Amino acid sequence: MQSGTKISLAALGLTCIGSLAHADCGEVSITEMDWASSAVVTHVANVLMTHGYGCEVSLIPSSTTPAMTSVAETGQPDILTELWTNSSPVYEELRAEGKLLELGHVLSDGGVEAWWLPAYLVEAHPELKTIDGIKANPELVGGRFHDCPSGWACDVVNNNNLKALGMAEVGIERFQHGSGETLATAIAAAYANKEPWFGYYWAPTSVLGKYPMVQVEMNAFDADAHACNSDPECSAPTASAYPTAKVITAVTPALEQREPEIVAFLSKMSFTNTQMGEVLAWQDTNSASFEEAAVYFLDTYKDVWGNWLNDDAREKLALLLK
């Protein structure tokens, strides 16, 4: 598929396939969380459930906390996708109470927060791959750490890590961006001019899909240290990498009883951060909708999603798999 060309369900022949997808399954509700990667996951699942399994799918706009509250109080929606379990203290409670079933890791690499360098900078100076290499060569990274905005959780964690590592003492100042947009723009500008850049970002995102970045090797994750680093009043910051977030699909027990084939499909649905980053980068470049981004994924990664389906759904979607 050519970059710059928007694609549609009709272009892939899904309007015809839809007529073959008789109602093998009934009504199914799924969250459409309010961030980009989750919306793409939801629309991919929607297409496959609708046209492969014959479901009548309802998309429920939501975010983590209200979705959890709704499941706890009403048992709906049926499917919570791209659920970052570390962002929801009540998730394990609902799971223990039997109100949610955990399926597969929808982001197989997990959610990644880290410190990064542009790939071109590491290629020119391999010693910068480690935090000790950066401390020994602060001028090669421009003497600056690009940090996330005030009020974000990473604001506190990064600041405590910078203190623990003595970055200011070796000549690396903390530059805090006013928004996520300016943080992303700083990476784009550095790439445009092949300039030094060193700072915080997360994956999967369109930014890391568009601009190859190398994760800095730093002190291993330490749960106690990270807990203190997350506290603005941490009295003794200790350097620690971020934990990798477990990102899963969860469903209600009622859905497992009602639609076991859908639950089997969802348990296999999984994206690498590289795949998702590439799709999000395509979406951003083409100013595409989430539905268009989902169709782009379906057209580009047939060898991936074809393995998620049962034989009947695979047969119904055979035209797409050619």
Side-chain angles (χ1 to χ4, degrees):
M1 185 63 59
Q2 293 295 317
S3 176
T5 301
K6 292 188 180 180
I7 51 183
S8 66
L9 298 177
L12 291 183
L14 278 172
T15 51
C16 296
I17 294 171
S19 64
L20 301 176
H22 53 86
D24 295 328
C25 102
E27 297 180 358
V28 173
S29 57
I30 181 172
T31 54
E32 183 177 4
M33 300 294 197
D34 57 356
W35 60 90
S37 56
S38 180
V40 171
V41 171
T42 293
H43 281 276
V44 168
N46 179 26
V47 171
L48 296 179
M49 288 191 293
T50 298
H51 298 282
Y53 293 85
C55 301
E56 184 178 337
V57 182
S58 299
L59 305 186
I60 311 299
S62 192
S63 57
T64 303
T65 299
M68 289 295 188
T69 301
S70 180
V71 167
E73 296 178 353
T74 70
Q76 289 288 322
D78 297 309
I79 305 163
L80 281 68
T81 193
E82 201 175 310
L83 184 61
W84 293 55
T85 58
N86 64 334
S87 298
S88 178
V90 302
Y91 168 72
E92 289 298 343
E93 295 177 21
L94 293 178
R95 189 181 174 196
E97 293 169 3
K99 293 181 178 180
L100 277 176
L101 301 176
E102 182 176 308
L103 302 184
H105 290 224
V106 71
L107 295 181
S108 59
D109 301 320
V112 177
E113 295 179 89
W115 294 2
W116 308 83
L117 295 166
Y120 58 79
L121 192 60
V122 176
E123 289 170 6
H125 304 284
E127 65 273 23
L128 297 179
K129 286 192 297 186
T130 68
I131 194 65
D132 287 338
I134 291 173
K135 291 175 66 176
N137 301 278
E139 73 285 352
L140 295 181
V141 298
R144 172 176 286 187
F145 178 83
H146 292 263
D147 208 351
C148 59
S150 177
W152 291 20
C154 47
D155 165 19
V156 176
V157 175
N158 289 337
N159 194 37
N160 279 324
N161 265 311
L162 291 167
K163 291 177 182 177
L165 291 163
M167 300 298 267
E169 287 76 7
V170 299
I172 296 178
E173 67 168 350
R174 181 191 191 208
F175 180 82
Q176 199 164 14
H177 285 267
S179 69
E181 288 75 14
T182 62
L183 183 59
T185 299
I187 294 176
Y191 248 87
N193 299 302
K194 292 297 185 285
E195 294 175 342
W197 192 94
F198 167 49
Y200 166 89
Y201 218 76
W202 66 99
T205 56
S206 62
V207 170
L208 295 192
K210 189 179 296 186
Y211 305 107
M213 303 289 281
V214 175
Q215 187 172 333
V216 176
E217 297 173 14
M218 59 183 296
N219 303 60
F221 168 68
D222 181 284
D224 292 336
H226 182 70
C228 188
N229 291 345
S230 302
D231 183 354
E233 305 302 321
C234 178
S235 59
T238 304
S240 167
Y242 281 89
T244 299
K246 184 171 71 170
V247 186
I248 56 97
T249 298
V251 300
T252 61
L255 182 71
E256 182 183 46
Q257 296 172 6
R258 196 172 75 245
E259 306 292 353
E261 290 298 322
I262 295 300
V263 172
F265 150 64
L266 292 171
S267 69
K268 297 176 183 178
M269 183 177 66
S270 185
F271 306 75
T272 67
N273 284 350
T274 297
Q275 291 164 354
M276 182 58 71
E278 194 271 328
V279 171
L280 294 175
W282 178 91
Q283 180 191 23
D284 182 67
T285 298
N286 292 280
S287 300
S289 67
F290 292 124
E291 182 181 49
E292 288 166 335
V295 175
Y296 173 80
F297 170 83
L298 294 169
D299 191 47
T300 306
Y301 293 101
K302 297 176 183 180
D303 58 330
V304 174
W305 62 265
N307 294 320
W308 302 342
L309 310 175
N310 64 20
D311 291 341
D312 189 43
R314 195 176 296 110
E315 182 179 348
K316 291 174 183 173
L317 292 167
L319 288 177
L320 262 69
L321 288 166
K322 289 182 178 179

